[in-house]
Amino acid sequence: MRPTDATVRSLVAAINGNKRQDFLALLTPDATMSDDGTDRDLHQWIDREIFDVNGRMEVLSESAGGRELIARFRNDTWGEMRTSWRFDIQGDKIQRLETGQA
């Protein structure tokens, strides 16, 4: 499934294509994130959980116009898990990303 929201769709493509710079280009300069309800350093987290460990995302369902996802996410560290993703978007950039196990 491809997310309806164009920005989220581009973010999923950046994750699955292992394109860190494309991912970063989709964020506002002050973007923040949380993982399982705990705020994290965004740049450290994306390297540790996505780009350094072959993170991949398969979207299973969406809501809120494509800004909330349930996805099958896998990386070389944790294997595969069912995850939720929520995006706050400002213009065409992601200002906040919240993820966690679903």
Side-chain angles (χ1 to χ4, degrees):
M1 163 180 251
R2 295 182 63 206
T4 304
D5 185 89
T7 302
V8 173
R9 187 170 51 247
S10 294
L11 187 89
V12 171
I15 290 170
N16 290 337
N18 199 34
K19 296 182 177 180
R20 186 179 190 275
Q21 292 306 320
D22 291 357
F23 183 102
L24 293 174
L26 294 165
L27 305 176
T28 63
D30 61 344
T32 61
M33 67 96 44
S34 71
D35 182 6
D36 284 327
T38 301
D39 280 0
R40 306 285 183 188
D41 178 286
L42 178 66
H43 295 273
Q44 289 177 2
W45 188 90
I46 65 169
D47 288 338
R48 185 180 64 248
E49 300 292 337
I50 300 173
F51 296 107
D52 291 346
V53 291
N54 300 308
R56 296 289 181 270
M57 171 189 273
E58 178 188 352
V59 178
L60 302 173
S61 65
E62 70 172 15
S63 57
R67 294 183 178 190
E68 295 181 9
L69 307 176
I70 298 295
R72 193 174 292 131
F73 185 82
R74 87 158 313 287
N75 66 30
D76 292 344
T77 302
W78 304 110
E80 187 174 298
M81 65 192 89
R82 185 177 167 95
T83 56
S84 64
W85 299 75
R86 184 180 166 284
F87 304 92
D88 291 336
I89 298 178
Q90 184 177 71
D92 62 350
K93 302 283 185 184
I94 295 168
Q95 185 173 26
R96 180 150 176 93
L97 149 64
E98 297 175 356
T99 188
Q101 292 194 44

